[in-house]
Amino acid sequence: MPATANPYVNLELKIPNQYSEDFKKYTSRFKSEDGSAKDIDRSPFDRYVDFWWAAIGVGVCEGRVSNTDDSEKFVTGVVLSQDPWRITHLELLAIAHTGSADVIGRPGEVIEIANGYAATGVPILVEMLLKKLEPIWDISNYLKNLAASQQPEAAVASE
Amino acid sequence: MKFKSARIQNFKLLREVALDFSVDPNRPVTVIRAENGSGKTSALSALQWGLFGDAGLEESAQKVRLSPSDWPDGKRCEIRVQIDFAHTVYDEVGGEVVAKHTNYRILRTVAETPRGEKEFTRESDQMHLFELTDSGSEEQQGAEVRLGEMLPREMKNVFFTDGDRAMNFVSPSLTKNTKQHQVKEAIRSLLGLSVLETALEHIRKATSKFNKQLAEASGSAEAATVHAQLEEKRAELKKHRDRLDDLDKQIEQIAKKEEEADRKLLQAMKGVEDHAELAKKLESARRQLKEAEEAEQRLKKRHQALLGSESMSWALLRPKLTEGLAVLAQLADKGVIPATALPVLQDRLDLGRCICETELSEGSTARNNVLRLLETQRKVDEEKKILTELYHRGGVVVRNRSTGAEGVTGWMGEYDELAKDRLNNKKLLENLQNEIKAIEIKISAIDQGTIEELKKARDAYRADKSRKEVDRQDVEINRRPCERVVADLEVKWEQIKAANQKQRTFNNRIAVSQDLGAAVKNTLDELQTAYMRRVSDRMNVLFLQMVGADPTAAGGVFKQAEITPDYEIKVLSGDNRTLDPDHELNGASKRALTLSFIWALTEVSEVVAPRVIDTPLGMMSGGVKSRVVEIISNPDLVPFTGEAGDEQPQDRQEFQVILFLTRQEILMVENLLDARAGQVKTLTNSASYPIDLLNDPKVEQPTILVCDCNHRQHCPVCARKDDDQHHLIGQTATH
C-alpha cells in the first residue's frame, strides 16, 4: 500500500491549558527536572501524542466532545506521520462523527473533532493520574474496562 | 548402686531439672538427649558433684562458679543436687544368694554468692545421706565413708566419662609420657591402693629414720656424711619426681583447654567455609536480580507501548471506526467511489466521438463541453481518490482487527498477558531481594574477628604446653643424674653398714624395713600389672567387637589393641604393625578405642555402679556406631565381675547405663534405643532461640528446659530447625 498522505502537518493538536503541566509530568519521553529518566509506572505515556490519543479514546467512549476555546497547541500534526494508522483512525472518526465523508475535504475540522474528544478525556485521565504515585495500573485497568464496553455485545457476552 | 532419679537446682543453667533413670534390668539404658550447649556437661558435673562434692569435679571446674551465670552479684544462691539411688547387697545364705535392696537419697547443698564476672564466694558444701523406707527417711552417719564403700571417689573418672575428654588417652596433642601417666593413673584408680601407698610411705620414713640412727650410732664421720648426703639427694629426687607429676597434670589440663579451643576454632572455621559458599550464592542471586530488574524495565516499556498502540485505539474507537467505514461502504455501493468518469471522458476525447455518437472534433462546442467536464471531474476525482484510499485503508484495518488472531479481545488480551508477566517478575524480584538480604545477614554473622581470637587462644595454649614440656625435659635432665647419685650413695651406705658390725641391730631394722618396703612395692606393682593385663585383655575384646574386626582374618585392618607394660595404648594391624593413632586410626576407631578402655576399666573394677557417658558416639556412624551401642547397652553382654566360670546374676540386675546423646549421635541407632532405653528425656537450652529452636520458649532467663520427648519425638519446647534431618515426630509439650 502506498504511504499515507498527511494533510494535517500544519494543524495544531491541542489540550486544555490548565492540564499542560500534567501533560508534561505524565509523559516519560522527556526527562525530569533533575535530568533523571522518569519511571514509567509514574509517567505511563511515552509521548504527548500517546497521552492525547488515550484522551481521544476516553472522550469517544464518553460520547461527547468538549469546547476547545481554552485549549493550547502541544504539537503540530506532523507527528501523525510517524504512525500512519492514526491518520486512518482520525479520518474514520471524523466521518462517523459528522455522518458524512465530505469532512475529509476539511482537514481543520477533522483535527478539531479530535481535539474536542481529547478535551473531554484529558481531565478524566489527569484526575486518575493524580490519585496514585504509580498510576499506570489504574489507568490501564480503566482503559481496559472502557475497551470492554466498546466490544460488540456478542463478544462481550462470551468473555 | 543404681540411680533412680535426680533433682538439680541452680547448678549452672540447670535451675530446676528433674531426671528419672531406668531401673528396668531388661532396658537398662537411660538416654538424656541434648545438643551441644544444652546442659549435657552441666548435668554430668551435677551428678558428680552430688556424689563427690568439689572433688568430683575437674580441677579447673573447682575454681569456676556453680551458680547460674546471670545470678545477681551479691545475692546468695542455694545450689542443690539430690540423687535417689538403690544399693543392693548380695549375701550367701544357706547356699543361696539373697539380695538386700536399700533405697538412699544423697542431698548435697552449697551456697554461693557471685561477686563480679569471675569472682565468687562459696561456703562449704553440706552432704546428707538418707535411707528411704516406707515409714520415711533416716539420716545415715558417716555419709562420706558409706558412699565411698558403694562408689569409691577414685572411680569417678571411670564411671563418669566425657567421650571427648576420654580421647586424651590417645590424643596426638599430648606427649607420650603424659598419656602413659594418664593410663597408669586410670588403672591405679581401680586398685584402691591408697592404703598400700600410705604404708609404703611409712616404711620409707621408718627406713630413713633407722639409717639416720645408724649413722649417728656409728660415730663415723664418713657414715654421717654419707647418710646426710643420701637423705639430701633422696629429698632432691623426690622434689624432681613431684615436680614431674605436677607438670604432667598441668600439661594434661592445658591439652584439654587446647583441644576445646581447637574444637571451637574448627566450628568457627566451618563458618568460613560456609562464607565462601554463601558468597557464591550471593553473587548468583545478585546476578539473577540484575536480570530480573532488566526484565522489569523491558516489561515497563512493553506496558507503555501498549498504552500508545494501534490495538488500543481500535479497542476504544471500534464503533466509530466501523461506523465511518460503513459510510464509505455506502459510497462504494452507490458507485461514487472509486472514481471512474475521468477515464471514460478521456477515452471519448481520444476517440473523437461521444457515447451519444456526437462528433468531438477539435474546436467544436461538444469537445469544449467535454473538456470543461473533464476539468471539473479531475477536481472531484482528487477528493474521491482520497476517500477511495481511506476506504481501502480502513477496510484493511477493520478486516484485520475484526477477525483472525486479534479477534475480539485484541488489546485486552495483550494487556492481560503483560499484567501476568509483570506480576510474575515482581514476585521474582521480591524473592531475590529477600534471598539476598538473608544471605547478607548470614555472612555478617560469620565474624572473622572471632576466628582470629580463637586462633590466638588456641596458639597460646599450645605455646604454654610447649613451655611446660620444655620445663619437664629440664626436670627430667636434672632427675637422672640425681637418681644416679642416690644409687651410688645407697651402694656406699650399704658398704658402710656392712663394715660396721656394731650396728647390726640398726642394720637388721633397716634390712627388715627395706624388705617390707620391697614386698609392699612388689605387691603394688604386681597388682598394677595384673589389673593392667585384665584391662588390656578386656579392652582388646571390646575394641575388636566395636570396630567389627576379626583378629584371625588374614589381612585384617586391626588385629589387637593392648596396653603395653609401660602403659601405652597401642593398636596392631593385621600384619603386626603398630598403627599410629594420629594418622592410621580414623575418628570413629579412636573413639571406639578410648570407649573400650573406659568400659574395660568399669568391668575390671568390680564396682557395680551406673556408667554415665557424655557424648560417647561422636564421630561415629554406620556399623561402628551400631556395634558400640549394642555392646554398651545390652544387659545380656554384661561380663561377670569375677573369674571365669564365676558369673554373678546380680551383675545383670545391677547393670545401668546413662548416655548423654545429641540427635546426630542417635541417628541410625533409634531401633536399638527403642529396645534398650527404659527412660528418655530431652534437655533444651532456652538461649538457643531463635538460632536453632523453632519456638520462643518465653522464659525470662536463659535456662535448661526438660521435656519427656524420647529419641524419636519433638515438641514445641525442644523442636529445632533441623529436626527434619532426624525424622522426628511432633507431639504436644510434656514437661
Side-chain angles (χ1 to χ4, degrees):
Chain A
M1 192 178 277
T4 306
N6 183 5
Y8 312 103
V9 288
N10 294 320
L11 294 170
E12 293 178 348
L13 309 189
K14 292 179 183 175
I15 53 157
N17 299 345
Q18 68 182 102
Y19 299 109
S20 57
E21 286 306 309
D22 300 307
F23 218 55
K24 285 181 195 163
K25 185 178 167 186
Y26 293 109
T27 306
S28 64
R29 177 68 66 98
F30 303 98
K31 294 198 187 322
S32 307
E33 284 173 5
D34 63 359
S36 58
K38 291 181 189 169
D39 181 3
I40 288 171
D41 285 350
R42 296 186 185 191
S43 302
F45 299 106
D46 188 15
R47 300 167 296 168
Y48 291 152
V49 68
D50 296 319
F51 196 157
W52 181 71
W53 201 271
I56 291 172
V58 170
V60 166
C61 292
E62 287 286 306
R64 57 188 170 88
V65 295
S66 295
N67 192 290
T68 59
D69 288 348
D70 292 328
S71 292
E72 62 181 35
K73 168 193 120 180
F74 65 90
V75 78
T76 64
V78 69
V79 74
L80 299 173
S81 301
Q82 292 173 15
D83 302 303
W85 59 265
R86 294 192 198 271
I87 296 170
T88 307
H89 285 214
L90 274 180
E91 290 174 346
L92 289 176
L93 175 62
I95 293 172
H97 181 80
T98 57
S100 164
D102 291 346
V103 70
I104 299 304
R106 301 187 294 278
E109 194 175 334
V110 171
I111 291 298
E112 197 49 34
I113 291 167
N115 284 336
Y117 279 120
T120 302
V122 163
I124 296 172
L125 287 177
V126 168
E127 190 186 335
M128 210 170 296
L129 287 163
L130 287 171
K131 278 187 182 160
K132 287 243 181 95
L133 190 58
E134 293 182 347
I136 194 169
W137 294 105
D138 281 355
I139 290 285
S140 304
N141 292 334
Y142 170 69
L143 292 172
K144 182 187 165 187
N145 289 337
L146 278 186
S149 70
Q150 297 304 300
Q151 301 310 309
E153 277 183 8
V156 170
S158 71
E159 280 177 26
Chain B
M1 178 191 275
K2 239 181 178 178
F3 287 167
K4 295 174 78 174
S5 67
R7 192 155 168 235
I8 304 165
Q9 287 170 295
N10 291 332
F11 191 98
K12 308 281 183 168
L13 289 184
L14 304 169
R15 294 179 198 266
E16 184 65 56
V17 167
L19 301 172
D20 295 310
F21 303 105
S22 175
V23 293
D24 180 351
N26 294 314
R27 299 178 78 195
V29 177
T30 299
V31 173
I32 312 286
R33 185 179 68 172
E35 299 309 302
N36 291 332
S38 295
K40 288 197 273 87
T41 306
S42 296
L44 183 76
S45 298
L47 292 174
Q48 288 177 292
W49 182 79
L51 288 168
F52 306 114
D54 281 0
L57 301 175
E58 289 296 304
E59 268 187 50
S60 57
Q62 292 175 21
K63 300 185 180 87
V64 173
R65 61 189 259 194
L66 300 179
S67 51
S69 53
D70 63 347
W71 199 267
D73 286 344
K75 189 177 174 192
R76 196 166 178 268
C77 176
E78 175 101 355
I79 298 156
R80 199 171 180 280
V81 174
Q82 174 185 301
I83 302 173
D84 287 3
F85 67 93
H87 184 65
T88 306
V89 174
Y90 294 88
D91 294 314
E92 193 173 319
V93 179
E96 276 189 28
V97 174
V98 173
K100 182 174 181 292
H101 306 290
T102 313
N103 291 317
Y104 291 98
R105 171 172 295 163
I106 300 169
L107 177 61
R108 192 178 296 269
T109 58
V110 75
E112 187 178 273
T113 307
R115 299 193 191 286
E117 198 182 313
K118 292 186 180 178
E119 300 297 313
F120 61 92
T121 50
R122 194 188 297 160
E123 298 165 21
S124 298
D125 61 85
Q126 305 289 320
M127 196 277 265
H128 303 274
L129 182 67
F130 300 93
E131 181 182 330
L132 303 176
T133 62
D134 291 338
S135 51
S137 62
E138 187 187 322
E139 185 157 3
Q140 305 294 294
Q141 299 306 312
E144 297 279 3
V145 172
R146 293 290 300 277
L147 198 55
E149 285 167 1
M150 295 183 232
L151 180 56
R153 189 175 294 178
E154 294 81 14
M155 301 284 185
K156 72 173 175 66
N157 286 333
V158 171
F159 283 89
F160 290 84
T161 309
D162 176 340
D164 291 336
R165 214 172 54 221
M167 293 290 279
N168 280 339
F169 289 115
V170 295
S171 168
S173 67
L174 293 179
T175 61
K176 183 174 155 182
N177 280 333
T178 306
K179 282 185 276 194
Q180 286 167 317
H181 172 80
Q182 282 181 133
V183 171
K184 188 172 180 181
E185 284 306 304
I187 292 173
R188 280 164 62 87
S189 70
L190 301 178
L191 308 178
L193 295 175
S194 54
V195 169
L196 274 178
E197 286 169 342
T198 309
L200 195 58
E201 192 54 32
H202 282 312
I203 291 167
R204 283 197 182 124
K205 281 183 180 162
T207 309
S208 177
K209 186 173 133 192
F210 296 146
N211 278 319
K212 190 177 173 193
Q213 286 172 345
L214 176 66
E216 285 165 357
S218 72
S220 153
E222 192 198 6
T225 307
V226 166
H227 181 259
Q229 282 175 347
L230 184 57
E231 288 305 305
E232 192 189 316
K233 284 298 171 186
R234 276 183 180 154
E236 192 182 316
L237 186 60
K238 185 172 186 306
K239 260 193 199 160
H240 288 315
R241 285 182 179 152
D242 287 345
R243 179 79 179 123
L244 283 174
D245 279 344
D246 188 44
L247 283 168
D248 281 338
K249 277 187 189 147
Q250 286 181 38
I251 288 167
E252 190 186 332
Q253 288 298 323
I254 296 169
K256 283 175 196 169
K257 285 180 186 166
E258 185 197 346
E259 285 218 24
E260 181 61 32
D262 213 29
R263 243 195 313 271
K264 282 183 183 163
L265 180 59
L266 277 173
Q267 218 165 358
M269 290 295 289
K270 179 163 187 317
V272 171
E273 289 166 19
D274 289 347
H275 188 289
E277 187 67 35
L278 286 170
K280 255 196 230 163
K281 278 189 186 162
L282 183 63
E283 199 195 316
S284 168
R286 279 185 178 153
R287 205 171 40 243
Q288 288 177 58
L289 181 67
K290 189 163 172 250
E291 286 165 9
E293 282 168 347
E294 283 166 5
E296 178 71 3
Q297 287 309 313
R298 287 195 296 273
L299 286 167
K300 281 185 181 180
K301 287 264 183 220
R302 205 171 113 198
H303 196 158
Q304 193 174 61
L306 265 185
L307 291 177
S309 65
E310 186 190 348
S311 59
M312 188 183 86
S313 182
W314 166 252
L316 293 173
L317 304 181
R318 181 192 176 120
K320 289 292 184 192
L321 299 180
T322 314
E323 194 181 324
L325 192 68
V327 168
L328 292 173
Q330 281 173 8
L331 292 178
D333 288 344
K334 288 177 187 167
V336 172
I337 58 170
T340 54
L342 194 56
V344 169
L345 287 173
Q346 190 64 52
D347 280 347
R348 286 293 135 190
L349 271 179
D350 293 342
L351 285 172
R353 192 185 291 282
C354 185
I355 296 170
C356 61
E357 297 301 324
T358 308
E359 286 286 330
L360 297 174
S361 48
E362 281 288 337
S364 67
T365 310
R367 189 181 179 84
N368 289 340
N369 285 343
V370 170
L371 280 167
R372 266 197 302 279
L373 200 59
L374 201 58
E375 192 54 41
T376 310
Q377 203 57 42
R378 269 202 185 97
K379 281 185 195 151
V380 171
D381 273 8
E382 202 50 50
E383 286 171 7
K384 286 183 180 175
K385 191 175 161 193
I386 290 169
L387 286 177
T388 305
E389 278 176 12
L390 179 58
Y391 176 57
H392 288 145
R393 275 186 277 121
V396 167
V397 165
V398 172
R399 271 198 302 279
N400 285 348
R401 293 285 174 188
S402 298
T403 60
E406 293 270 348
V408 170
T409 53
W411 181 82
M412 294 187 290
E414 285 179 66
Y415 172 64
D416 285 343
E417 185 82 25
L418 167 84
K420 201 168 75 173
D421 289 346
R422 284 205 70 182
L423 184 63
N424 288 341
N425 198 61
K426 194 165 185 273
K427 283 180 184 167
L428 176 63
L429 274 168
E430 270 177 31
N431 289 342
L432 287 168
Q433 282 157 354
N434 288 339
E435 191 185 329
I436 286 168
K437 215 174 181 180
I439 294 172
E440 283 171 345
I441 287 172
K442 279 185 187 171
I443 286 175
S444 68
I446 297 167
D447 184 355
Q448 295 286 356
T450 302
I451 289 172
E452 288 308 314
E453 279 174 25
L454 287 172
K455 262 194 195 152
K456 270 190 198 158
R458 194 259 331 252
D459 291 346
Y461 287 131
R462 256 191 205 158
D464 199 15
K465 193 179 76 177
S466 294
R467 277 194 293 275
K468 297 285 177 202
E469 280 165 355
V470 166
D471 289 347
R472 195 187 188 286
Q473 268 178 358
D474 289 342
V475 172
E476 191 63 37
I477 286 166
N478 290 326
R479 183 192 65 84
R480 285 187 206 134
C482 184
E483 214 168 51
R484 278 196 294 275
V485 167
V486 166
D488 289 344
L489 284 170
E490 279 173 346
V491 166
K492 210 168 185 178
W493 181 242
E494 291 304 313
Q495 287 167 351
I496 290 170
K497 277 191 315 185
N500 195 339
Q501 293 296 315
K502 287 181 194 176
Q503 314 310 322
R504 194 168 294 147
T505 309
F506 291 114
N507 277 334
N508 287 341
R509 284 182 190 168
I510 290 165
V512 165
S513 66
Q514 280 176 339
D515 288 346
L516 203 54
V520 170
K521 189 168 184 313
N522 286 340
T523 306
L524 250 166
D525 287 345
E526 275 192 34
L527 282 172
Q528 251 169 233
T529 305
Y531 270 88
M532 186 266 287
R533 284 207 193 106
R534 284 178 64 187
V535 171
S536 179
D537 291 345
R538 188 65 191 148
M539 179 187 77
N540 177 46
V541 168
L542 289 170
F543 173 68
L544 293 177
Q545 283 175 359
M546 284 179 183
V547 298
D550 179 359
T552 60
V557 176
F558 301 120
K559 184 180 171 185
Q560 187 183 355
E562 63 172 1
I563 304 171
T564 64
D566 54 357
Y567 297 96
E568 211 177 333
I569 296 177
K570 281 190 183 287
V571 178
L572 295 178
S573 65
D575 54 356
N576 284 322
R577 197 169 47 82
T578 303
L579 295 174
D580 177 0
D582 298 352
H583 304 297
E584 292 175 289
L585 289 188
N586 63 18
S589 299
K590 276 193 243 189
R591 202 78 165 193
L593 185 63
T594 56
L595 197 56
S596 57
F597 174 60
I598 298 287
W599 215 250
L601 286 171
T602 60
E603 291 174 0
V604 170
S605 73
E606 298 180 17
V607 170
V608 180
R611 303 176 197 191
V612 186
I613 314 182
D614 178 8
T615 326
L617 308 176
M619 290 189 281
M620 289 188 191
S621 61
V624 174
K625 191 197 274 194
S626 299
R627 283 189 289 272
V628 166
V629 174
E630 172 66 40
I631 288 164
I632 67 176
S633 68
N634 190 341
D636 294 323
L637 292 182
V638 175
F640 43 86
T641 53
E643 297 296 323
D646 185 26
E647 289 88 351
Q648 302 294 329
Q650 57 265 35
D651 298 328
R652 192 186 186 285
Q653 290 297 316
E654 298 305 309
F655 181 64
Q656 187 183 43
V657 176
I658 297 165
L659 302 176
F660 289 85
L661 300 174
T662 63
R663 282 160 167 75
Q664 189 60 34
E665 288 179 277
I666 290 169
L667 207 55
M668 305 308 286
V669 292
E670 295 92 337
N671 290 344
L672 273 171
L673 295 177
D674 286 342
R676 304 279 165 76
Q679 270 287 349
V680 185
K681 292 267 191 202
T682 297
L683 301 181
T684 304
N685 187 345
S686 66
S688 297
Y689 178 80
I691 293 176
D692 293 316
L693 291 185
L694 263 180
N695 304 309
D696 184 351
K698 292 190 170 54
V699 292
E700 287 175 10
Q701 308 143 312
T703 191
I704 302 297
L705 305 166
V706 187
C707 61
D708 289 332
C709 288
N710 68 22
H711 51 284
R712 289 189 184 273
Q713 296 167 333
H714 67 80
C715 71
V717 172
C718 68
R720 300 177 77 84
K721 289 180 180 172
D722 59 355
D723 271 343
D724 287 345
Q725 297 173 25
H726 304 112
H727 314 296
L728 303 180
I729 304 162
Q731 60 164 20
T732 53
T734 51
H735 75 288

